Amino acid sequence: MLALGQAKAQAPSAHPNWPGPGQLFVGTCYQPVDRSPEEVDRDIQVMHRAGFNVVRIGDLSWDSFEPEQGKFTFDRFDTIMDKMHAAGIRVILDIPGLPAPIWLHRAHPGVDIVAQNGTRLPPAERYMDNISDPDYVREVGIMAEALTSHYAHHPAVIAIGYDNEIGNGFMSYSEADRQRFIAWLKKKYGTIAELNKAWATQRWSRRLNSFDDVDLPLADGPGPSERYLDLHRYWSDVTVERLKELDAIRQRNMPEVPSISNLWDTAGRRGFDYLSTYKGYVSYGAEGFYPGDPISGSFGALMTKGALETPIWFNEFTAGGGGYYGTPGRSRMYAYLGLMMGAQGIIAWTFNSHLGGEEQALFGLVDHDGTPSWKVDEFGRIASEFKLLSKFGFPRYTHPSVAIAYSFDSFIDSHPNGPSNTTLQYFKPSYTDQVQAAFEPFFRSNLDTAIINVGHDDLSPYKLVVVPADYVMDQSSADAIRNFVRDGGTVLMTALSAKVDEHGQWFDTPLPGRLSDVFGFKTNAFYDSAALSFELGGKSIETDVHRYEVLEPSTAQVLARFSKVADHPPALTVNTFGKGKALYLATESNPSAMGPVSSYLLQLVGIQVGPPTPDGVYARVVEGRTLYVNTTQEQKKVPIHAGKRSLLTGQVYTGAVTLAPLAADLIE
C-alpha cells in the first residue's frame, strides 16, 4: 500500500487499456436499487438500443453492498454487471463511501454530525456523515477493499469512482472533532506561540495560553479570517486523505483501472483544495456538469481538468433536473461544447426518474411510469454522432498556451464569515466571478486555457499566466510566478492580488506582497469612481468597473492611464524582470476590462486566436477540421472562404456555415 504522502495518480501512458484516443463514451447514471429485475432488463434494452456504451452505478448505495456491518452481498450487482457487459456497456463503478448506512451511525455515533451549537444531527440527508471519525475511516476502507477485490477482474469495469460529491459534506463540532483539529494545528504550527502569531490573537484579546484553549472556528457565524481559513484547510485535508486512502486501495487491487470520480470541490458547505492535490487521487478530471451558461459551465469543467493529460469526463451530465423536464437540443449542444473542451465521457443524470426520496421531482431520461422520453432519443443521437466523431481526432488532447490561476485559499479567505470582517466590504465582486471574468475573453477568442494552482503545477508549458484577484499569496505561488517571469514568461495580475500571506494576514511589505519587485511598483491606496476608462494600443476602452488601485511605479512602465480620474493614475503597467514581463491591471478582473487587455496580451506574446465566430458560437480546429457549436437560441452564420462539407450530415456549405439554434457541426 502506498504511503499517503507518496500517493500519486498513475500516468495514462503506462496504462494502454485506459480510455484513450479515438474513444468516446455516452451513457447514463443508473441506480438499480430502485428497479425490479424485470425493469433492469428493460432498462438495459433501452440503453442498448440508444447506443449507450457506458453507465455509472454504485454511487449512494453502500448498504446495497453491505446491508449489515461486515456482511457483504454482491449477487444482485453481479447479475447487473454481467448483463451490462453482455450488452456492450462499460461500467464506472463507484465506491459509495457517502452516505454512510444507518447501521454505521447506530454502531458508531461518532459518525453523526454535531452542529455548531452542540446538537447531534441525525443522518436525515445525503452526506451527513463525519468523514473524520476513525470508525468511519476504518469501515469505509473495509467496504472499499471488499468492493474492489470482488470486481477487480470484471470485464465490464472501465473505471472506479470515489465518494460521490465528497466536497458537499458537513463540518462537525463534536469534542472529538475539536481534538482532531487541535492535532492538525499542532502538526502545522508546532507551538502555541506560532499558532498565536499565525492567528493574530493579540487582536481583541484572543490570546491562547495552550492548545486546550482552541475552539473550532465557526463556519456559520462571526470570527477572524485567519481561523476561518485554517478551518477550511483542515476539512480539506480530511477530505483529501479519504480520497488518497481510496486511491491506494484501487492501486493495490485494480491497478489497471483508472479513477474517474464525481468530486465537488467548490461545494458551498465544505469544499476542498482540489487543484493543489488532485494528482494524488485523480486519473481523469470528472464532475457533475449542470451549466447555467456556456462560459461558467466551461470554466467549471476546465477546473476539474487542471493540468491533467487525460480528457474530461462528465460523470453527471445535464438532461433534466429538479423541477426541470429538459429542453430539446440543449443536452446535445452542451455535449458538443464539452467535446470542444476535451471531454471524453458524457453520462446523463439520471436514467430513471425517481419515485421517492429527495430527488423525486428530478426528471431523468425515463419517465416515472417507465416510459422512455424524447431525452433517450437525444442522448442516442449524441451516442451515434460521437461514434462517428471518434474517427476524427476526438477526444481532443489540448495543449493550452494560457493558464488562469485559481487558489482555494484565495477563494476561502476573500469571503470569510461575517458580519464584522471588513474583508467582506473590501473584496468584491466575488473571487470566483473574477477568475471566471479572466477566463471569459480567452474562451470567447476560441482559445484553450488551463485552470491551475500556480504554486502546485508546472508553469513552463504556458506562454501566458493570468493571476486574477489572487488575494492570498503564499510563498510557493510567489516563487512560481517569480521564476516563470524571470525565465521568460509573461504574467498578468489584477487588482486585489497578493494582499495577504498564507495565514490570511496583510503583508507589512510593499504590495503586491512578495512580488512588488517583479511587477516594479507598490500600491496601497484604492478609490471608487465613475465607470473607468483608459486607452490601450490606440483604442479607447470603456469599462463597467468603478474601483481602482493607485500604482506607484518604480521600474514598471505605464502602458495605459485612467482617463476620467484625477491625476490619471496607471491603469496597466508592465515590468521587465529577468527574461520575461509582469503586467498589472489596476482594476478588478471584469470582462469589460479583461477583454481588451487579453487581446493586447495575446499580440504581445504571439498567441494566435482561434477561428472567428459570431457571439455565442464557439469553435476549435481538430486535425484540420473545425468544430462549431451554436450555444444560442438563434440561427447563426459563420462566414467561410470556400465550400466546406459537414461530416455529420454531408451538407456542403458555400460562403457561410449555417447553424440552427443549439446546433453543432464538424466541417472539413
Side-chain angles (χ1 to χ4, degrees):
M1 183 173 180
L2 289 171
L4 292 182
Q6 299 172 339
K8 183 179 180 181
Q10 296 154 298
S13 58
H15 298 273
N17 293 327
W18 286 12
Q23 295 177 292
L24 296 175
F25 296 87
V26 178
T28 187
C29 295
Y30 187 55
Q31 295 180 308
V33 297
D34 289 336
R35 313 297 274 176
S36 69
E38 295 76 20
E39 288 173 323
V40 169
D41 288 341
R42 289 200 302 269
D43 293 342
I44 293 175
Q45 289 175 6
V46 171
M47 296 177 200
H48 181 67
R49 284 196 300 268
F52 292 176
N53 59 357
V54 68
V55 296
R56 173 172 168 254
I57 63 175
D59 58 302
L60 311 170
S61 303
W62 184 340
D63 63 5
S64 295
F65 295 109
E66 191 182 7
E68 299 179 53
Q69 186 170 5
K71 296 181 179 179
F72 291 93
T73 175
F74 298 107
D75 292 349
R76 185 152 186 257
F77 272 83
D78 287 348
T79 300
I80 294 167
M81 296 280 283
D82 291 344
K83 289 180 177 180
M84 291 293 182
H85 178 62
I89 300 172
R90 305 298 300 275
V91 174
I92 295 179
L93 180 63
D94 266 36
I95 296 174
L98 297 170
I102 296 298
W103 61 254
L104 181 54
H105 283 269
R106 295 294 180 262
H108 303 289
V111 182
D112 293 345
I113 294 293
V114 174
Q116 288 183 171
N117 64 4
T119 303
R120 170 197 165 271
L121 300 176
E125 185 181 300
R126 288 178 300 174
Y127 317 136
M128 294 184 73
D129 313 297
N130 189 344
I131 66 172
S132 72
D133 178 74
D135 292 315
Y136 170 86
V137 175
R138 182 189 65 253
E139 293 301 322
V140 76
I142 292 171
M143 183 270 294
E145 184 74 32
L147 190 69
T148 55
S149 297
H150 184 81
Y151 289 110
H153 303 292
H154 198 287
V157 178
I158 195 173
I160 292 293
Y162 307 141
D163 289 3
N164 182 66
E165 297 182 345
I166 189 171
N168 197 29
F170 291 74
M171 296 181 183
S172 186
Y173 284 80
S174 69
E175 175 58 24
D177 289 304
R178 188 178 78 91
Q179 293 300 328
R180 287 190 285 270
F181 180 60
I182 288 173
W184 181 87
L185 291 172
K186 287 180 177 179
K187 183 177 180 181
K188 182 177 177 67
Y189 294 109
T191 67
I192 195 66
E194 287 301 310
L195 178 59
N196 275 312
K197 182 179 178 182
W199 279 10
T201 59
Q202 75 277 4
R203 299 292 306 160
W204 293 3
S205 191
R206 289 182 294 220
R207 195 179 311 277
L208 304 167
N209 292 317
S210 73
F211 281 101
D212 289 337
D213 288 340
V214 171
D215 287 317
L216 275 164
L218 301 179
D220 299 313
S225 59
E226 297 92 342
R227 302 185 188 199
Y228 184 75
L229 180 58
D230 269 345
L231 173 71
H232 280 268
R233 285 171 169 163
Y234 164 70
W235 279 107
S236 174
D237 283 356
V238 168
T239 302
V240 170
E241 285 296 285
R242 300 295 83 82
L243 292 169
K244 288 183 176 179
E245 288 158 2
L246 294 177
D247 198 63
I249 293 171
R250 174 193 66 83
Q251 290 198 40
R252 183 172 66 249
N253 293 338
M254 306 178 77
E256 297 306 315
V257 176
S259 61
I260 302 180
S261 305
N262 186 43
L263 309 175
W264 192 0
D265 59 306
T266 58
R269 283 195 291 241
R270 194 174 65 212
F272 64 100
D273 192 353
Y274 174 83
L275 283 177
S276 294
T277 62
Y278 64 112
K279 292 181 181 178
Y281 48 86
V282 165
S283 306
Y284 296 71
E287 69 158 5
F289 187 65
Y290 302 102
D293 60 81
I295 292 170
S296 64
S298 300
F299 171 69
L302 290 170
M303 282 184 64
T304 70
K305 179 176 174 60
L308 291 170
E309 299 174 17
T310 47
I312 302 167
W313 280 67
F314 296 120
N315 279 19
E316 295 179 11
F317 189 82
T318 182
Y324 166 60
Y325 191 76
T327 299
R330 183 176 182 272
S331 292
R332 179 176 177 269
M333 178 274 286
Y334 274 117
Y336 274 93
L337 193 70
L339 198 65
M340 192 191 78
M341 290 184 289
Q344 183 172 41
I346 305 291
I347 305 176
W349 181 267
T350 183
F351 183 76
N352 51 293
S353 301
H354 302 172
L355 299 178
E358 291 95 331
E359 292 190 340
Q360 59 185 264
L362 188 152
F363 300 90
L365 305 185
V366 173
D367 293 340
H368 288 87
D369 63 358
T371 303
S373 74
W374 56 262
K375 289 174 278 187
V376 172
D377 293 333
E378 181 164 322
F379 275 83
R381 181 183 177 188
I382 297 169
S384 175
E385 292 174 348
F386 276 26
K387 185 176 181 180
L388 171 66
L389 292 172
S390 64
K391 305 172 185 177
F392 298 117
F394 295 98
R396 292 185 65 234
Y397 286 77
T398 59
H399 302 283
S401 297
V402 178
I404 311 292
Y406 180 90
S407 161
F408 175 80
D409 285 355
S410 288
F411 168 71
I412 295 298
D413 203 51
S414 63
H415 66 283
N417 49 357
S420 58
N421 201 307
T422 54
T423 302
L424 298 172
Q425 301 164 29
Y426 166 71
F427 194 104
K428 48 192 176 183
S430 76
Y431 177 68
T432 301
D433 285 347
Q434 293 199 57
V435 181
Q436 183 177 307
F439 164 78
E440 181 175 334
F442 297 102
F443 187 71
R444 290 187 182 277
S445 296
N446 292 321
L447 282 173
D448 291 325
T449 58
I451 314 294
I452 61 171
N453 183 300
V454 295
H456 293 266
D457 269 315
D458 179 15
L459 302 186
S460 64
Y462 310 106
K463 293 183 178 180
L464 171 63
V465 174
V466 181
V467 184
D470 203 356
Y471 186 56
V472 178
M473 185 53 59
D474 60 88
Q475 190 66 58
S476 64
S477 296
D479 289 346
I481 292 169
R482 176 181 297 274
N483 294 337
F484 177 69
V485 177
R486 183 198 61 205
D487 294 342
T490 299
V491 167
L492 171 69
M493 183 179 279
T494 72
L496 301 170
S497 293
K499 297 299 188 281
V500 302
D501 65 15
E502 55 268 29
H503 303 302
Q505 296 185 33
W506 277 66
F507 288 107
D508 61 359
T509 59
L511 300 175
R514 296 191 165 121
L515 292 169
S516 181
D517 62 325
V518 175
F519 286 88
F521 68 85
K522 70 173 184 177
T523 180
N524 288 297
F526 60 93
Y527 299 103
D528 291 334
S529 74
L532 295 165
S533 61
F534 55 90
E535 186 174 292
L536 180 63
K539 297 180 180 179
S540 180
I541 297 162
E542 301 290 335
T543 78
D544 300 329
V545 181
H546 293 268
R547 177 176 286 188
Y548 65 97
E549 295 181 352
V550 178
L551 309 187
E552 301 175 40
S554 53
T555 57
Q557 294 180 313
V558 177
L559 295 175
R561 293 183 179 275
F562 293 117
S563 55
K564 299 178 182 178
V565 177
D567 300 325
H568 305 297
L572 181 68
T573 60
V574 61
N575 189 52
T576 299
F577 184 84
K579 299 177 183 178
K581 296 183 182 300
L583 295 93
Y584 193 94
L585 178 64
T587 72
E588 70 189 55
S589 179
N590 174 284
S592 63
M594 286 297 298
V597 171
S598 68
S599 297
Y600 176 86
L601 278 172
L602 293 175
Q603 291 182 353
L604 179 69
V605 299
I607 297 175
Q608 296 293 319
V609 300
T613 53
D615 190 43
V617 176
Y618 302 99
R620 295 292 189 278
V621 175
V622 188
E623 295 188 352
R625 308 173 185 93
T626 305
L627 175 64
Y628 293 103
V629 183
N630 179 10
T631 66
T632 76
Q633 293 284 355
E634 302 173 351
Q635 183 186 90
K636 294 284 186 175
K637 290 183 179 291
V638 184
I640 55 176
H641 295 298
K644 303 287 185 180
R645 184 175 68 92
S646 165
L647 288 172
L648 292 178
T649 67
Q651 179 181 352
V652 175
Y653 296 104
T654 302
V657 175
T658 302
L659 297 170
L662 303 179
D665 210 343
L666 181 66
I667 309 301
E668 66 174 2

